[in-house]
Amino acid sequence: MKPTPFDYSAPGSVGEVLALLADEEREAKVLAGGQSLIPMLSMRLARPGLLVDITRVPGLDRLYADASGALHIGAAVRQSRAADDPAVRDGWPLLAAAIRRIGHPQIRHRGTVCGSLAHHDPAAELPAAALALDARFVIAGPGGTRTVGAADFFVATFQTAVAPDELLTEVVLPPRAGDGWAFEELARRHGDFATLGVAVTLRRAPDRRTVAAARAVFCGAGPVPVRLPAVEEALTGTDAGAAALDAAASAALAGLTPADDVHATAAYRREAAAHLLVRACTLAWERCS
Amino acid sequence: MTTDLATPDPATAIHAAPPPLAEPSGWHEIRLTVNGAPVTAQVESRLLLSDFLRDRLRLTGTHVGCEHGVCGACTVLVDGEPARSCLTLAVQCAGAELRTVEGLAPGDAPLTPVQRAFHECHGMQCGFCTPGFVMTATALTEQPRRPDAADVADALSGHLCRCTGYRNIRRAVCQALDERFDGGDAEQGE
Ligand SMILES: Cc1cc2nc3c(=O)[nH]c(=O)nc-3n(C[C@H](O)[C@H](O)[C@H](O)COP(=O)(O)OP(=O)(O)OC[C@H]3O[C@@H](n4cnc5c(N)ncnc54)[C@H](O)[C@@H]3O)c2cc1C
Ligand code: FES
Ligand code: FES
């Protein structure tokens, strides 16, 4: 099938983007990399009257670390550019690893980091990584610009804090501070969306023997990325040894309530989550600096 | 309208006229470069790049399988990087430089190392998926450093071949990489 007719505009400023998105009669939609939106148009699951291409807005393609060391990723920054950036690979390797799990290079060359976050497929890797990394989301709208934390950004399947007349202008990641990291996932084939995935960060205490802080966020386990405090408590203060990993895995089994779908049953997903968590924690502990 | 893309002459702009029966909604004039030749065209907003190449420019070497990004048959190079032409609107390509399989060895030009390797290693069976694979492989050979085996697997997994396995395709790509990167590591990816 082909898309239904629509208008297309490639404005030159965020202000113009917002003015076009405010056009309720035409039902405007943001077009970034198009790697999720264009299939939806072709299948006629979406029938917007106007596509607003944000990739030509000067400034939205900025990818940089600010004076405080936080990483800013603009709305037009493509996934492959972020994953290949030396500063990202060095400072936020979890982000680079999550991006490399997205489809194939042919998709990542066009798909944007912010587009994946704004699209918020529950099986997508980047929302889980963003929550594990404490991302902040900068959203521009008719009433000005606001910043939303990752815990409040993901609302439901395909739904985020970004309203239809708003634009996610950038995502900001705080400095990593030497945390160990891992992104592990189970997918039917290399490059597929995660049937279940987990992003883990671990920080070593000054004595280097115990876990000072832990983060574990699952994707494919619910309508939004799932962070389990019980898993993190089971790891914190331990030596990340077998007993601690067992306790963390049990906490994941007990805490996750995924749904059955065509890809896997809920029971299979929980089991996979426990195994992937152990593998990810082991890797993350080794990678702590 | 002349679309003699076999021997692109950058001096002659190609004017691809809109087809008469298309719906007149959201038309745009775009200028871009296709296989080295400047192209100016009126396109409807919703025209997919794959349809623009095939139906309007008659560059039917770019194949369309699934039309939602899964099979990779429609892969072309957009500003040097492999991308799905079925997940790209023609209008998004204003100002872009596109390369399709027709641009690799136009007219009587010798086959490129990638094309030759596909021929020699029997990397092509029915040929439906081949243009996409060849374009992705071409981009791999154009990187500044030799991609490692994992990069090759990652790139090739973005394509589905329905004919047989991928062994010969991978062999062809490795041969082309060996040739490009000075012998390199012949065992790469095997
Ligand atoms: C074959 C294939 C395999 C894939 N595999 C994976 C995978 O394994 N994992 C995965 O996570 N994804 C996968 N994807 C999806 C891909 O990652 C998309 O690139 C991504 O989800 C969307 O990014 P985009 O820039 O292409 O956004 P678009 O498709 O342009 O937009 C997606 C949605 O987000 C909205 N949007 C985009 N940017 C903004 C913004 N700045 N502000 C507000 N709204 C915005 C759009 O309006 C639209 O509703 C796959 C896609 C394909 C075709
Ligand atoms: S036709 Fe474009 S990926 Fe299948
Ligand atoms: S050669 Fe026939 S589909 Fe690949």
Side-chain angles (χ1 to χ4, degrees):
Chain A
M1 252 202 281
K2 305 293 178 190
T4 51
F6 51 78
D7 267 328
Y8 166 94
S9 180
S13 73
V14 170
E16 283 172 59
V17 170
L18 295 176
L20 289 166
L21 292 179
D23 185 345
E24 278 173 25
E25 265 167 44
R26 284 207 288 185
E27 206 205 317
K29 227 169 168 15
V30 171
L31 172 68
Q35 302 300 288
S36 292
L37 183 55
I38 292 176
M40 286 170 67
L41 298 174
S42 288
M43 290 185 262
R44 302 201 169 187
L45 296 171
R47 297 162 175 260
L50 170 67
L51 289 193
V52 184
D53 184 343
I54 58 164
T55 61
R56 291 173 198 246
V57 177
L60 288 185
D61 62 349
R62 293 228 295 160
L63 174 69
Y64 66 99
D66 66 20
S68 76
L71 180 73
H72 295 245
I73 306 172
V77 173
R78 292 183 170 154
Q79 291 156 3
S80 49
R81 180 172 154 220
D84 292 344
D85 187 273
V88 174
R89 295 180 98 130
D90 192 44
W92 295 267
L94 174 61
L95 177 77
I99 291 174
R100 280 194 294 268
R101 301 259 183 193
I102 298 176
H104 320 285
Q106 298 87 345
I107 305 296
R108 305 194 291 264
H109 283 321
R110 295 199 68 81
T112 62
V113 172
C114 286
S116 175
L117 295 166
H119 185 60
H120 187 219
D121 188 304
E125 290 84 359
L126 284 186
L131 186 52
L133 294 172
D134 264 328
R136 282 179 287 127
F137 296 82
V138 182
I139 301 169
T145 297
R146 62 201 173 99
T147 301
V148 175
D152 301 315
F153 184 78
F154 303 106
V155 176
T157 299
F158 298 128
Q159 207 186 324
T160 68
V162 184
D165 60 352
E166 290 182 317
L167 176 71
L168 172 61
T169 55
E170 63 173 2
V171 58
V172 185
L173 302 178
R176 180 171 70 102
D179 291 358
W181 61 276
F183 195 103
E184 291 296 303
E185 82 173 29
L186 176 77
R188 276 164 66 234
R189 286 170 314 192
H190 175 89
D192 279 4
F193 276 97
T195 301
L196 195 115
V198 62
V200 167
T201 64
L202 293 179
R203 184 171 304 165
R204 281 186 195 256
D207 69 7
R208 314 239 343 113
R209 286 200 292 270
T210 52
V211 179
R215 268 291 167 96
V217 183
F218 296 87
C219 60
V224 293
V226 182
R227 184 180 164 198
L228 291 179
V231 168
E232 300 174 4
E233 279 157 28
L235 292 163
T236 307
T238 71
D239 62 355
L245 296 181
D246 267 0
S250 304
L253 269 175
L256 290 176
T257 52
D260 290 322
D261 67 17
V262 290
H263 301 299
T265 62
Y268 182 79
R269 278 207 163 83
R270 290 167 65 235
E271 191 89 2
H275 284 288
L276 291 174
L277 177 67
V278 169
R279 198 193 293 167
C281 288
T282 308
L283 267 172
W285 189 238
E286 285 167 5
R287 285 171 177 158
C288 284
S289 55
Chain B
M1 169 173 118
T2 42
T3 49
D4 184 15
L5 289 169
T7 46
D9 173 4
T12 29
I14 297 154
H15 290 273
L21 290 176
E23 237 169 308
S25 123
W27 287 91
H28 300 267
E29 179 169 295
I30 57 167
R31 286 161 200 278
L32 67 167
T33 309
V34 181
N35 296 332
V39 172
T40 306
Q42 296 284 333
V43 297
E44 204 188 351
S45 303
R46 62 169 166 165
L47 184 67
L48 300 173
L49 176 59
S50 45
D51 292 333
F52 176 66
L53 292 171
R54 289 178 56 83
D55 301 343
R56 298 282 297 283
L57 299 185
R58 302 276 180 252
L59 293 171
T60 53
T62 298
H63 292 171
V64 172
C66 65
E67 217 167 56
H68 57 272
V70 178
C71 74
C74 68
T75 302
V76 299
L77 302 189
V78 181
D79 293 325
E81 290 177 332
R84 306 291 206 229
S85 60
C86 75
L87 296 191
T88 307
L89 301 171
V91 65
Q92 285 176 286
C93 296
E97 202 185 309
L98 301 186
R99 280 154 72 200
T100 70
V101 73
E102 288 89 348
L104 295 181
D108 293 332
L111 296 181
T112 66
V114 170
Q115 290 174 309
R116 214 168 355 93
F118 266 75
H119 178 71
E120 287 166 8
C121 301
H122 194 45
M124 164 176 144
Q125 294 102 44
C126 80
F128 187 79
C129 69
T130 310
F133 271 106
V134 165
M135 296 319 287
T136 284
T138 298
L140 285 174
T141 62
E142 289 174 357
Q143 290 184 6
R145 272 184 307 278
R146 179 174 182 136
D148 65 21
D151 292 334
V152 172
D154 192 22
L156 296 190
S157 71
H159 295 268
L160 298 181
C161 175
R162 298 150 177 86
C163 279
T164 58
Y166 288 66
R167 291 188 75 93
N168 291 348
I169 294 171
R170 193 174 57 179
R171 200 167 289 144
V173 174
C174 289
Q175 177 179 316
L177 289 173
D178 286 346
E179 193 173 327
R180 160 71 176 78
F181 293 96
D182 223 359
D185 174 8
E187 293 304 304
Q188 281 269 2
E190 277 300 315

